[in-house]
C-alpha cells in the first residue's frame, strides 16, 4: 500500500511532570475545534472524561477503570504524573475500499497516571480527537508492580445527556444476527430478545447492546459508539442503565475462567470510539474506525486481494433446491461415514461449471462453492463436532482440481469455503494444510463459517479466545496469499487497514433469513438501519441481488421483503469489496435488470452520501476506481418516498449516459415486488431529478461518461 504523508507534525511537550496530585482539568480539541474532551480526576483520584460538541455536552462526566482478579480494582487513588499532547495529519491510500485517499487528522492527549497507594501501579489513557469523533484507549505501561493482569471487567462509562432515540441489537455474546430495534434509550430491553428460534447459538446475560450502536439526540445530533483495533482482548458490549441514561463497557467472558481478559504487561486495549455527526450520512462517510488502526502490515496485496463480484452454489441450498451434504442425511443423532448419493447435492462438478460459464459470460469474476468437502452429513447438532470436517477432501461428485482448471480457462476465480461448525481445534489443526492447498491451486479467497456453539465448550464467539482465533486466521492466511470473508465472525473494528486480506464479513442478520426465518424475514426497515449501524464497522457480505422475490416454487411461506429495484441498489448502498449475485442463475437469464449487476463496480475512488435518515432511507453515490463511472443506489423502508437528487458531485463539462432502474408505478415490496422501470437519459453536474421509491423499494443508477 502506498502512503502519502501530507504533513506529520508531532509537537510533544510536558504539561506537567511531578509527584504532586493535579486537580487541574486538561482539555484537548479536534483540529477544527468543534469537538473537545476534558479529562479530570475526582476527589478520590478516579479518572473521568467528558465530551463537548460545539460547546454543548455530548457525554457527561464519565469514569474510567478496571476490575482485576486477585488484585484491587484499578480505577481510583490516581495522580497525574505526566501529560503529553501531539497532533498528526496524513493522507493514506486504501488498497481497496470505499475511497482511495483517507485523511487521518487528529490531536492526541496522553495522560500518565500512577496510584498514590503503596502499589504505585501505572495506567495511561490516550485520547485522540478527530473532526468526526473521538477514540480513547488504555495503556498498561511496563512497570515493576504489575506484570500480568486478569481483567474481570472494564468500567468505561458513557453518560448520555438525555433519553436518546437508539437503534440497537442485544449484547449477545455469541451472535450478531438479531434484528435491530428502534426505541428510546429508556426502553432498551435486551433480555427480551433471548432464545430466538432462528439463531444457531445465542447468549444474552445482561441488559446490554452490541456495537456499533447509533443514537439521535433531541437536538438532532447523531452518535455512534463502537471500538477499533480489537486485538487480543474481549469484545465490548455496552451495559445499559435505562434510568440514568448510562452505558458501561461489559466485556464478553467465558464459562471456563473467572476473568474476561488475560494480558501480560505492557499492552494496549482496543480504542473506544464515538462518532459524532449532525447529518446521519456523515456517519457513513467517517473513516474514524480505520484511522484508529495501524497501517498496512502486508505490503502490496494487489496481486492476490482482488475486489470482485461473484456467483455461487449457496442460495439454492437455503431454498431447498439442493443440499450442502451429498447424501442428504443431516442425521443429528448418529455418526457415520457412509455416503449414499441422492441426486440433490449442490456442489457437483457439473453445477460448478454451469456457474463458471454464467459468470464468465456476465463480467463476474468468481464463483463460491459451498458443500464441496466431506463432513456436511454431521456438521451440526452433535455435542462433539471435532474432527467432522475435512478441509482438503472433496466429495466424490466434486472434482476440485478440474473445477479450478475450468475456471482459469474461463477467467473465473474459485472462492473456497470452510465451514468450521465452530469446532475450533479441528480448524486450527488443518489451517496450514487447507491454505496450502488453496495456494497450490491459485485460490486466493475463502469464506469461513462458525455456525453453532463454540468448541471447546464454555467459550463464546465474542470472547478473547475467539477474537484471537479470528485474527490469527487472517494473519496465517496472509502467509499463503489468502483473503478471508468471515461469517459468524467477530465484529469488524477496522483491522482491514492493518491486514487488507480481511476483505469482508457477515456479522449481521443477512439475506438468508429471508429464505427460512419463521418471523417473516428481514423487514423493509432493516437495511436502512444497517447502513447507519453495522455498516459503520466495515464491509458487509450481505449477498444481494435476489430477483425471484417470492420464490414460491421453493417456499410459499417466505420471501424477500424488498422490490427488485432495491436489490439492485444494495450493490451501492451496502458496501463490500466482494459482492454476490446471490440468486439462482436461471433467474437472471433474459432479465434486463441484470445489466446493472454486470455493470456495477466493487472498488471505489470516492463515496458520497447524498441523503439519509436512520431506519428510513439512504442514497449513496460511488465513483469507480478504474474508470470515470459513477453508480448511485437509494433504498427506503416500508414507506413510499419521493426524493430529489442533485448530481453536482459529477465532473464538470461532462455528459453521462444514465441508465435508471426504478420501481414501477405499481411496485410494492409485497404486492408487486418485481415491477421495475428501466430508462436511459443524459445527466451532467447541473442535473436535478426526482425519484419515486415504492414501499420497500429503491433505485439504482449507472452513470457512464460520454467523453
Amino acid at each position: 500500500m502506498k502512503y502519502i504523508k501530507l504533513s506529520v507534525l508531532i509537537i510533544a511537550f510536558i504539561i506537567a511532570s511531578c509527584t504532586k496530585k493535579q486537580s487541574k482539568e486538561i482539555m484537548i480539541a479536534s483540529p477544527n475545534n468543534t469537538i473537545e474532551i476534558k479529562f479530570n480526576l475526582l476527589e478520590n483520584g478516579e479518572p473521568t472524561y467528558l465530551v463537548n460538541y460545539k460547546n454543548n455536552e455530548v457525554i457527561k462526566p464519565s469514569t474510567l477503570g478496571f476490575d482485576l482478579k486477585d488484585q484491587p480494582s484499578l480505577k481510583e487513588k490516581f495522580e497525574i504524573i505526566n501529560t503529553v499532547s501531539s497532533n498528526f495529519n496524513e493522507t493514506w491510500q486504501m488498497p481497496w475500499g470505499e475511497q482511495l485517499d483517507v485523511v487521518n487528522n487528529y490531536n492526541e492527549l496522553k495522560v500518565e497516571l500512577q496510584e498514590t497507594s503503596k502499589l504505585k501501579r501505572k495506567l495511561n489513557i490516550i485520547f485522540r480527537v478527530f473532526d468526526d469523533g473521538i477514540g480513547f484507549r488504555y495503556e498498561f505501561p511496563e512497570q515493576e508492580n504489575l506484570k500480568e493482569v486478569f481483567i474481570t471487567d472494564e468500567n468505561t462509562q458513557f453518560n448520555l445527556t438525555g433519553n436518546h432515540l437508539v437503534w440497537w441489537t442485544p449484547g449477545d455474546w455469541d451472535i450478531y444476527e438479531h434484528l435491530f430495534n428502534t426505541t428510546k434509550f429508556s426502553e432498551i430491553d435486551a433480555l427480551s430478545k433471548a432464545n430466538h428460534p432462528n439463531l444457531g447459538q445465542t447468549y444474552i446475560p445482561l441488559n446490554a447492546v452490541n456495537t456499533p450502536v447509533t443514537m439521535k439526540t433531541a437536538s438532532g445530533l447523531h452518535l455512534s459508539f463502537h471500538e477499533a483495533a480489537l486485538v487480543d482482548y474481549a469484545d465490548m458490549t455496552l451495559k445499559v442503565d435505562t434510568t440514568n441514561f448510562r452505558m458501561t463497557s461489559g466485556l464478553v467472558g467465558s464459562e471456563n475462567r473467572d476473568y474476561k481478559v488475560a494480558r501480560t504487561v505492557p499492552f494496549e486495549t482496543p480504542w473506544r470510539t464515538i462518532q459524532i455527526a449532525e447529518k446521519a450520512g456523515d456517519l457513513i462517510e467517517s473513516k474514524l474506525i480505520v484511522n484508529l488502526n495501524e497501517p498496512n502490515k502486508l505490503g502490496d496485496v494487489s496481486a492476490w486481494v482482488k475486489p470482485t463480484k461473484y456467483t455461487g452454489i449457496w442460495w439454492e441450498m437455503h431454498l431447498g433446491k439442493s443440499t450442502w451434504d451429498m447424501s442428504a442425511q443431516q442425521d443429528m443423532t448418529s455418526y457415520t461415514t457412509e455416503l449414499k448419493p441422492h441426486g440433490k447435492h449442490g456442489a457437483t462438478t457439473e453445477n460448478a461449471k454451469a456457474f463458471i460459464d454464467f459468470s464468465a459470460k456476465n463480467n463476474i469474476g468468481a464463483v463460491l462453492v459451498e458443500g464441496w468437502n466431506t463432513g456436511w452429513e454431521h456438521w451440526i447438532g452433535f455435542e462433539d463436532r471435532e474432527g467432522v470436517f475435512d478441509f482438503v477432501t472433496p466429495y466424490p461428485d466434486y472434482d476440485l482440481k478440474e473445477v479450478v482448471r475450468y475456471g482459469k480457462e474461463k477467467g473465473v476465480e474459485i472462492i473456497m469455503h470452510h465451514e468450521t461448525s465452530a469446532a475450533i481445534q479441528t480448524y486450527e489443526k488443518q489451517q496450514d494444510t487447507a491454505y496450502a492447498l488453496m495456494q497450490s491451486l491459485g485460490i486466493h479467497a475463502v469464506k469461513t463459517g462458525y455456525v453453532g456453539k463454540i468448541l471447546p465448550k464454555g467459550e463464546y464467539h465474542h470472547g478473547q479466545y475467539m477474537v484471537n482465533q479470528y485474527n490469527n486466521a487472517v494473519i496465517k492466511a496472509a502467509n499463503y496469499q489468502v483473503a478471508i470473508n468471515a461469517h459468524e465472525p467477530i465484529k469488524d473494528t477496522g483491522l482491514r487497514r492493518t491486514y487488507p486480506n480481511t476483505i469482508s464479513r457477515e456479522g449481521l442478520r443477512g439475506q438468508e433469513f429471508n429464505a427460512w426465518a419463521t418471523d417473516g424475514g428481514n423487514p423493509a426497515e432493516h437495511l436502512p438501519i444497517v447502513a447507519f449501524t453495522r455498516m459503520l464497522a466495515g464491509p458487509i457480505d450481505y449477498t444481494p441481488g435476489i430477483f425471484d422475490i417470492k420464490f414460491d416454487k421453493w417456499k410459499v411461506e417466505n420471501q424477500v421483503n424488498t422490490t427488485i429495484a432495491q436489490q439492485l441498489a444494495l450493490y451501492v448502498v451496502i458496501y463490500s469489496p466482494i459482492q454476490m449475485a446471490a440468486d439462482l442463475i436461471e433467474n437472471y437469464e433474459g432479465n434486463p435488470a441484470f445489466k446493472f449487476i454486470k455493470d456495477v463496480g466493487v472498488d471505489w475512488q470516492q463515496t458520497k452520501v447524498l441523503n439519509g435518515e436512520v431506519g428510513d432511507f439512504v442514497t449513496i453515490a460511488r465513483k469507480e476506481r478504474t474508470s470515470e463511472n459513477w453508480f448511485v443506489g437509494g433504498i427506503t423502508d416500508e414507506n413510499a418516498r419521493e426524493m430529489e437528487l442533485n448530481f453536482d458531485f459529477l465532473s464538470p463539462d461532462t455528459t453521462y449516459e444514465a441508465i435508471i432502474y426504478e420501481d414501477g408505478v405499481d411496485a410494492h415490496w409485497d404486492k408487486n415486488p418485481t415491477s421495475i422501470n428501466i430508462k436511459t437519459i443524459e445527466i451532467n453536474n447541473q442535473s436535478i431529478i426526482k425519484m419515486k421509491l415504492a414501499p420497500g423499494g429503491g433505485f439504482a443508477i449507472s452513470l457512464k461518461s460520454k467523453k
Side-chain angles (χ1 to χ4, degrees):
M1 181 191 298
K2 182 180 179 184
Y3 290 87
I4 302 175
K5 294 284 183 75
L6 292 182
S7 66
V8 180
L9 177 62
I10 304 180
I11 306 173
F13 58 92
I14 299 176
I15 295 176
S17 181
C18 59
T19 58
K20 184 179 179 182
K21 180 177 173 181
Q22 298 180 23
S23 60
K24 183 179 177 181
E25 184 176 71
I26 306 170
M27 189 272 287
I28 186 168
S30 60
N32 66 4
N33 290 312
T34 57
I35 301 173
E36 64 179 11
I37 295 176
K38 294 181 179 180
F39 178 86
N40 209 340
L41 292 177
L42 299 179
E43 286 299 315
N44 65 352
E46 190 170 13
T48 70
Y49 76 102
L50 66 81
V51 182
N52 288 334
Y53 179 77
K54 292 185 175 179
N55 297 317
N56 294 310
E57 226 170 41
V58 173
I59 301 295
K60 295 161 61 177
S62 303
T63 58
L64 304 163
F66 293 90
D67 292 329
L68 306 178
K69 181 179 183 291
D70 299 330
Q71 292 190 57
S73 294
L74 195 64
K75 60 183 180 182
E76 58 185 20
K77 298 179 182 178
F78 280 114
E79 62 181 358
I80 300 172
I81 59 172
N82 191 29
T83 61
V84 179
S85 295
S86 61
N87 54 53
F88 188 81
N89 190 6
E90 70 169 356
T91 295
W92 58 278
Q93 291 191 332
M94 288 183 154
W96 50 265
E98 305 94 316
Q99 62 200 61
L100 179 60
D101 295 323
V102 178
V103 175
N104 185 17
N105 186 15
Y106 61 83
N107 292 331
E108 181 176 292
L109 170 67
K110 180 176 182 178
V111 182
E112 299 177 8
L113 303 172
Q114 182 171 293
E115 290 177 311
T116 57
S117 65
K118 63 179 180 180
L119 290 174
K120 297 290 184 182
R121 294 175 299 178
K122 296 178 181 180
L123 180 68
N124 301 334
I125 304 173
I126 303 169
F127 297 94
R128 288 184 183 174
V129 193
F130 302 77
D131 291 340
D132 54 352
I134 72 163
F136 61 91
R137 77 188 327 176
Y138 302 90
E139 179 183 66
F140 287 73
E142 189 170 359
Q143 54 193 288
E144 285 298 318
N145 296 326
L146 193 63
K147 300 297 184 182
E148 192 174 34
V149 295
F150 297 92
I151 299 171
T152 56
D153 228 336
E154 176 190 318
N155 299 312
T156 302
Q157 285 186 354
F158 302 89
N159 282 320
L160 307 178
T161 58
N163 192 16
H164 304 333
L165 184 63
V166 187
W167 293 270
W168 59 275
T169 57
D172 198 317
W173 287 15
D174 232 10
I175 202 164
Y176 301 119
E177 295 180 1
H178 291 266
L179 282 173
F180 279 88
N181 305 272
T182 306
T183 70
K184 287 290 191 178
F185 188 86
S186 61
E187 298 168 344
I188 294 174
D189 183 7
L191 295 174
S192 69
K193 308 302 175 183
N195 302 317
H196 192 290
N198 296 136
L199 299 179
Q201 66 281 336
T202 178
Y203 179 60
I204 306 172
L206 300 165
N207 190 20
V209 296
N210 264 321
T211 69
V213 56
T214 299
M215 304 182 187
K216 186 176 182 180
T217 70
S219 65
L221 196 65
H222 296 83
L223 310 173
S224 184
F225 299 81
H226 191 41
E227 58 182 316
L230 175 54
V231 176
D232 199 6
Y233 205 79
D235 174 312
M236 178 185 71
T237 68
L238 292 172
K239 296 179 288 187
V240 173
D241 180 341
T242 57
T243 302
N244 295 304
F245 308 145
R246 174 183 300 150
M247 297 188 297
T248 305
S249 56
L251 303 180
V252 172
S254 165
E255 295 177 11
N256 298 325
R257 57 195 69 91
D258 56 358
Y259 54 86
K260 308 289 184 62
V261 172
R263 292 294 300 269
T264 301
V265 176
F267 74 94
E268 297 170 327
T269 71
W271 296 93
R272 280 62 188 98
T273 67
I274 309 173
Q275 290 161 276
I276 304 171
E278 294 184 9
K279 295 190 300 181
D282 289 343
L283 293 175
I284 298 174
E285 293 190 9
S286 168
K287 289 294 167 281
L288 183 146
I289 302 299
V290 287
N291 275 332
L292 284 167
N293 280 266
E294 294 181 20
N296 183 357
K297 290 186 176 181
L298 301 183
D300 183 5
V301 298
S302 59
W304 54 281
V305 177
K306 296 180 179 179
T308 190
K309 288 169 283 190
Y310 68 102
T311 61
I313 301 172
W314 174 76
W315 185 244
E316 62 185 72
M317 276 90 89
H318 289 289
L319 294 181
K321 177 185 178 183
S322 65
T323 63
W324 281 273
D325 65 313
M326 193 180 76
S327 61
Q329 290 177 220
Q330 293 293 295
D331 182 358
M332 308 304 177
T333 60
S334 62
Y335 184 87
T336 175
T337 57
E338 183 181 6
L339 300 176
K340 297 178 180 178
H342 58 87
K344 286 188 67 178
H345 187 212
T348 65
T349 304
E350 180 183 16
N351 199 20
K353 286 185 173 182
F355 275 86
I356 290 169
D357 289 340
F358 177 84
S359 299
K361 185 174 67 175
N362 290 291
N363 189 36
I364 294 174
V367 171
L368 165 72
V369 180
E370 292 198 12
W372 68 275
N373 59 318
T374 59
W376 285 93
E377 279 73 18
H378 313 285
W379 74 286
I380 196 168
F382 287 104
E383 195 69 18
D384 182 8
R385 285 163 274 119
E386 295 289 5
V388 169
F389 272 123
D390 181 334
F391 301 101
V392 297
T393 304
Y395 278 117
D397 57 354
Y398 182 71
D399 189 332
L400 173 61
K401 291 183 178 179
E402 169 59 17
V403 168
V404 172
R405 183 207 65 77
Y406 189 76
K408 287 180 179 178
E409 179 184 297
K410 297 285 185 174
V412 176
E413 302 283 335
I414 299 300
I415 298 176
M416 182 60 80
H417 184 240
H418 293 163
E419 174 54 61
T420 69
S421 69
I424 305 309
Q425 293 172 1
T426 294
Y427 194 45
E428 273 190 335
K429 291 173 183 176
Q430 296 189 47
Q431 272 178 332
D432 282 296
T433 304
Y435 295 156
L437 172 65
M438 291 175 60
Q439 188 176 41
S440 71
L441 295 172
I443 299 175
H444 293 296
V446 59
K447 173 183 174 182
T448 59
Y450 294 83
V451 176
K453 294 183 178 181
I454 296 292
L455 296 177
K457 289 183 186 179
E459 302 297 341
Y460 294 97
H461 280 71
H462 307 156
Q464 184 185 18
Y465 175 85
M466 282 305 298
V467 167
N468 289 336
Q469 297 300 317
Y470 290 116
N471 290 343
N472 290 342
V474 168
I475 295 169
K476 177 170 285 190
N479 296 330
Y480 297 89
Q481 295 192 328
V482 168
I484 290 184
N485 167 25
H487 282 231
E488 298 80 38
I490 191 58
K491 63 189 174 188
D492 199 341
T493 59
L495 281 165
R496 56 182 167 135
R497 181 185 181 189
T498 312
Y499 299 102
N501 64 324
T502 308
I503 50 175
S504 195
R505 72 188 74 203
E506 190 184 37
L508 85 166
R509 184 164 152 139
Q511 181 88 272
E512 68 272 16
F513 277 78
N514 291 321
W516 41 254
T518 57
D519 58 7
N522 299 335
E525 69 169 7
H526 181 57
L527 292 169
I529 296 176
V530 164
F532 298 98
T533 51
R534 161 64 183 87
M535 197 169 77
L536 303 184
I540 299 172
D541 188 29
Y542 187 75
T543 59
I546 303 302
F547 278 19
D548 182 15
I549 301 290
K550 296 283 190 179
F551 45 80
D552 287 340
K553 178 180 178 181
W554 308 106
K555 294 185 176 183
V556 296
E557 67 275 14
N558 291 89
Q559 68 170 68
V560 176
N561 299 319
T562 74
T563 66
I564 195 172
Q566 183 176 126
Q567 287 293 305
L568 297 179
L570 297 181
Y571 287 90
V572 183
V573 172
I574 304 299
Y575 171 68
S576 178
I578 56 168
Q579 291 280 25
M580 188 178 196
D583 208 344
L584 310 180
I585 54 179
E586 57 263 35
N587 292 331
Y588 293 135
E589 296 284 6
N591 193 320
F594 186 64
K595 177 174 171 53
F596 183 80
I597 297 179
K598 291 195 292 184
D599 292 344
V600 68
V602 288
D603 198 20
W604 308 108
Q605 184 182 147
Q606 295 181 57
T607 288
K608 295 184 179 295
V609 181
L610 305 185
N611 59 42
E613 291 292 342
V614 187
D616 295 336
F617 63 94
V618 62
T619 304
I620 299 178
R622 304 190 195 266
K623 184 180 182 181
E624 200 170 20
R625 279 202 190 188
T626 55
S627 73
E628 292 300 306
N629 299 337
W630 284 83
F631 296 88
V632 183
I635 63 175
T636 184
D637 59 4
E638 71 278 6
N639 298 303
R641 297 183 193 278
E642 183 174 303
M643 61 178 62
E644 190 173 83
L645 292 187
N646 189 324
F647 289 85
D648 57 2
F649 57 87
L650 296 175
S651 299
D653 304 318
T654 303
T655 300
Y656 294 80
E657 178 189 74
I659 305 177
I660 300 175
Y661 303 79
E662 61 185 354
D663 292 319
V665 293
D666 56 348
H668 184 280
W669 67 267
D670 184 33
K671 298 175 184 175
N672 197 9
T674 58
S675 177
I676 190 169
N677 180 48
I678 304 173
K679 62 185 180 184
T680 302
I681 63 174
E682 290 189 348
I683 279 179
N684 58 43
N685 74 336
Q686 302 297 311
S687 299
I688 298 175
I689 65 174
K690 288 186 176 180
M691 298 299 303
K692 291 185 177 181
L693 290 73
F699 63 87
I701 305 173
S702 65
L703 295 148
K704 296 188 177 182
S705 170
K706 297 186 73 175
K707 259 188 175 180

